[in-house]
């Protein structure tokens, strides 16, 4: 069965330090992977996606993600964290049976806390 | 274009009442989705529209739930005879039908059933 796992409920990092939010996936074919961010009482905002091509994907607000097929991972990274990056981050994979539309399978989310 | 718009933002209702939520997608998007998010979980897919046609419904969408998109623009999600377990954030998203485009989400409607 297809799935997404975010192994950390919370990640704590000091402002200015690099951050990593982990995501692993399970699909049978080639994955279509996404990262979204959710601020309190808000909807999800798209950060970046991997469809094909370069394994390092750059997205909004200085975030990037590295696709690793052998490890079935798609970790979110940022070289220097900001306090304003504190939010809930979701990794998602597109359902292979969806026929190309955005039926997404989400992980449970990781709360990122950036401390001054 | 102001993105995906949902109304109301919050709804408190008594158990057994019916509620209806509205979603206005990004204007040029012909694909529309509803998701449900409960506390501490990621969003779960409920249903998908291509224009006015409802092409997929999740098993999560019980008989008490109905979604429509009558003119291929805005959509409504109705829950009949609400139960406490229906309390959740209901998220609407839209996307174009170009290959591999991402979905854009609205701010959601938070439903509390008391």
């Amino acid at each position: 069965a297809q799935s997404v796992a975010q192994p950390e409920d919370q990640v704590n990092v000091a402002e200015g330090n690099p951050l990593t939010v982990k995501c692993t996936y399970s699909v049978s074919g080639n994955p279509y992977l996404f990262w979204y961010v959710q601020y309190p009482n808000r909807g999800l905002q798209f950060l970046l996606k991997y469809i094909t091509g370069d394994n390092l994907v750059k997205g909004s607000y200085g975030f990037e993600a590295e696709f690793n097929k052998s490890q079935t991972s798609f970790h979110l990274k940022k070289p220097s964290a900001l306090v304003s990056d504190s939010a809930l981050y979701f990794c998602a994979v597109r359902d292979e049976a969806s026929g190309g539309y955005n039926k997404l399978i989400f992980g449970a989310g990781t709360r990122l806390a950036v401390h001054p | 274009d102001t993105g995906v718009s949902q109304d109301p933002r919050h709804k408190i209702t008594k158990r057994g009442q019916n509620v209806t939520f509205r979603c206005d997608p990004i204007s040029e998007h012909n694909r529309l989705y509803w998701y449900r998010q409960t506390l501490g979980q990621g969003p779960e897919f409920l249903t998908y529209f291509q224009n006015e046609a409802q092409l997929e419904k999740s098993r999560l969408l019980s008989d008490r739930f109905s979604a429509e998109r009558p003119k291929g623009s805005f959509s409504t999600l109705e829950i009949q005879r609400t139960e406490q377990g229906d309390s959740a954030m209901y998220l609407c998203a839209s996307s174009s039908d170009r290959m591999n485009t991402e979905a854009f989400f609205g701010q959601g409607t938070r439903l509390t059933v008391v």
Side-chain angles (χ1 to χ4, degrees):
Chain A
Q2 302 168 81
S3 64
V4 173
Q6 294 182 243
E8 302 154 315
D9 289 338
Q10 180 151 334
V11 170
N12 296 297
V13 63
E15 188 174 30
N17 283 0
L19 69 87
T20 298
V21 182
K22 296 179 180 177
C23 171
T24 59
Y25 64 90
S26 175
V27 298
S28 57
N30 293 321
Y32 294 77
L33 295 157
F34 303 82
W35 275 101
Y36 284 84
V37 60
Q38 186 175 37
Y39 295 98
N41 297 314
R42 304 293 294 272
L44 278 69
Q45 294 181 27
F46 170 76
L47 282 179
L48 50 79
K49 65 185 176 186
Y50 173 82
I51 304 299
T52 186
D54 288 342
N55 290 341
L56 187 63
V57 178
K58 294 190 181 298
S60 307
Y61 313 119
F63 284 94
E64 57 190 26
E66 186 170 12
F67 172 67
N68 187 316
K69 188 171 184 177
S70 63
Q71 296 186 3
T72 61
S73 67
F74 189 55
H75 300 333
L76 182 71
K77 300 181 179 184
K78 188 174 182 181
S80 178
L82 300 173
V83 172
S84 58
D85 292 330
S86 299
L88 192 54
Y89 290 80
F90 290 98
C91 181
V93 66
R94 197 170 76 188
D95 188 317
E96 295 176 291
S98 70
Y101 54 88
N102 282 296
K103 180 181 179 183
L104 301 177
I105 300 167
F106 283 88
T110 298
R111 186 164 301 282
L112 174 66
V114 182
H115 305 285
Chain B
D1 175 36
T2 57
V4 179
S5 177
Q6 292 188 245
D7 183 70
R9 294 287 309 279
H10 304 273
K11 178 70 177 179
I12 300 174
T13 191
K14 292 183 178 179
R15 190 175 52 186
Q17 297 295 305
N18 299 344
V19 294
T20 300
F21 310 141
R22 177 181 170 120
C23 171
D24 288 90
I26 293 171
S27 57
E28 65 267 27
H29 286 178
N30 55 358
R31 293 178 170 178
L32 186 145
Y33 316 82
W34 286 97
Y35 284 80
R36 182 172 69 186
Q37 183 180 17
T38 53
L39 205 60
Q41 300 298 318
E44 296 173 293
F45 172 82
L46 291 179
T47 190
Y48 160 62
F49 288 86
Q50 171 88 20
N51 298 311
E52 67 276 8
Q54 188 175 20
L55 297 186
E56 184 171 353
K57 290 169 41 173
S58 162
R59 290 172 299 171
L60 293 175
L61 218 62
S62 75
D63 291 345
R64 297 184 297 104
F65 288 71
S66 63
E68 295 183 341
R69 195 182 183 197
K71 298 182 179 179
S73 56
F74 73 91
S75 175
T76 57
L77 177 68
E78 181 184 17
I79 309 174
Q80 295 183 326
R81 305 180 304 281
T82 52
E83 301 173 356
Q84 286 190 322
D86 297 332
S87 296
M89 174 80 90
Y90 290 85
L91 295 164
C92 178
S94 70
S95 68
S96 74
D97 56 6
R98 293 197 312 273
M99 283 280 288
N100 300 324
T101 56
E102 60 274 14
F104 293 87
F105 283 79
Q107 294 187 327
T109 294
R110 180 167 297 283
L111 173 66
T112 303
V113 181
V114 298

